[in-house]
Amino acid sequence: MPLRQSAGAAILELEELTMLDLSGKVALITGASRGIGASTAIRLAQAGAAMVLSARSADPLRSLVSRIEGAGGRAVAVPCDVTAYADVERAVGAAVKTFGRLDILVNNAGLIEPIARLADSEPAAWSHVIDVNVKGVYHGLRAAIPVMVAQGGGVVVNISSGAATSALEGWSQYCSSKAAVLMLTRCADKEYRGAGLRLVGLSPGTVATDMQVAIKASGLNPVSQLDPSAHIPAEWAAEAIAWLCTEAGAPYAGTDFSLKTEEGRRLVGLVPTVAA
Ligand code: NAP
């Protein structure tokens, strides 16, 4: 049975949505203003975590804070550009100052544009993708790890991609950056597993966000040819991230957990149900 978000025969439901318990935890998400990050902010708050929401755009973060607080949760917005270490350090500091600790970091901020073959690429724009996708993740790790080590534990979920291990035309900056993120996950796991930290990646498959709109517009490589119905909703990626933050995620430390496979989706609780 195809696992896809479609109005056709197969409908996927989140099983036991309220069963993930992150109460008492404090989580920081980068790139929380839209897409996977915004859905993850809502899901982790539903599971009981206090949230620190960061991205460059302040207005959507404030709206999310209102939504979470309106539902009885706790959240603060800390506008932040992940390419600036001082910004990321400030966001980690805000978690500690506001909520007393930092248990979860979701290194989610990322971009793919501009999509172009190497000879057509613009050097500054190519480098900017590396700054956000690679250095942004490094900045998160660098700022959060000392806090988590001092606490005796914590979870970091780095948002990876199938592009970490597959070459695609026009995506040299993105594939290179996600390969680097996978290696950051592996190195950080090697260095800090013994200190009680769980460092894990998530490869979500294609997700229906603004990023896929940009990919489709590029017309380059097979991903741009996918029908939008092939993409999973951001809520599924959020469910996987929340699940990886629980003890269920422990066996996947130091790896990219894949949500592209039926097995991965079943583990997370995304269960296919045939509509009547
Ligand atoms: P999206 O909807 O375009 O959201 C990207 C987020 O990153 C936004 O919140 C954006 O916020 C933030 N961001 C961009 N540059 C930033 C910067 N310099 N500093 C701080 N935040 C920044 O994309 P998405 O699909 O949700 O992507 C989220 C993550 O999933 C990315 O790491 C992406 O590579 C990964 N991913 C996506 C897919 C997919 O199919 N969509 C597949 C695999 C992996 P501001 O613009 O407000 O700063």
Side-chain angles (χ1 to χ4, degrees), residues 227-240:
D227 187 89
S229 66
H231 308 321
I232 64 168
E235 288 78 8
W236 292 12
E239 190 68 12

Side-chain angles (χ1 to χ4, degrees), residues 136-218:
V137 170
Y138 161 71
H139 289 157
L141 292 167
R142 175 63 184 86
I145 284 173
V147 175
M148 291 178 171
V149 168
Q151 286 172 185
V155 179
V156 180
V157 183
N158 292 329
I159 307 307
S160 185
S161 165
T165 52
S166 296
L168 284 148
E169 302 154 81
W171 289 20
S172 64
Q173 80 293 24
Y174 189 72
C175 295
S176 305
S177 73
K178 292 300 184 181
V181 170
L182 173 56
M183 195 50 80
L184 279 168
T185 300
R186 292 175 62 186
C187 289
D189 172 65
K190 200 164 272 284
E191 293 180 7
Y192 295 101
R193 188 188 289 211
L197 272 58
R198 185 187 322 144
L199 297 118
V200 63
L202 171 69
S203 179
T206 62
V207 186
T209 67
D210 290 356
M211 187 173 281
Q212 284 297 336
V213 175
I215 289 166
K216 186 147 218 49
S218 76

